[in-house]
Amino acid sequence: MTITTLGSRFLAAFNDIEKHIRGHLKADERISFTQLAREYAEKKRLPSQHKSALVAFASLRNAIATAPTTVGGRSRSRSRRLSRRSSGSGS
């Protein structure tokens, strides 16, 4: 399994977790995941280790999403590639 595949799997799982927490808290997209995780942990009385893990997952998500990759000899960030794909102007 390649790193890209592992990163994609992590991002998919993270997005599912974020969707669940946002839905439970009825939070909009402007609220950071870290803030959501803290609020969710407090409401659900999660152990501090679980809250810390959620915050660490957010940091890892950010690192994966902004990690540069080399495509066709050019380096660009994953978030830039994803935004181009979603807008339909991929290269």
Side-chain angles (χ1 to χ4, degrees):
M1 192 174 296
T2 65
I3 292 174
T4 302
T5 302
L6 292 174
S8 297
R9 288 178 60 196
F10 172 83
L11 290 173
F14 181 90
N15 289 339
D16 288 344
I17 292 168
E18 183 176 21
K19 183 178 178 182
H20 171 79
I21 291 175
R22 280 192 192 282
H24 180 77
L25 296 176
K26 296 178 177 69
D28 67 31
E29 295 295 318
R30 292 176 289 181
I31 300 172
S32 73
F33 180 80
T34 301
Q35 180 60 37
L36 289 176
R38 290 183 177 125
E39 187 177 332
Y40 186 78
E42 186 177 312
K43 285 189 176 191
K44 289 293 192 174
R45 298 182 187 181
L46 295 179
S48 62
Q49 302 95 316
H50 291 187
K51 179 175 74 172
S52 295
L54 289 172
V55 172
F57 293 158
S59 293
L60 179 57
R61 183 269 318 262
N62 293 340
I64 291 170
T66 60
T69 60
T70 303
V71 178
R74 296 183 311 178
S75 180
R76 58 186 180 171
S77 73
R78 179 177 177 82
S79 60
R80 184 173 174 196
R81 285 194 333 269
L82 294 175
S83 68
R84 283 187 175 191
R85 279 188 195 157
S86 64
S87 68
S89 62
S91 49

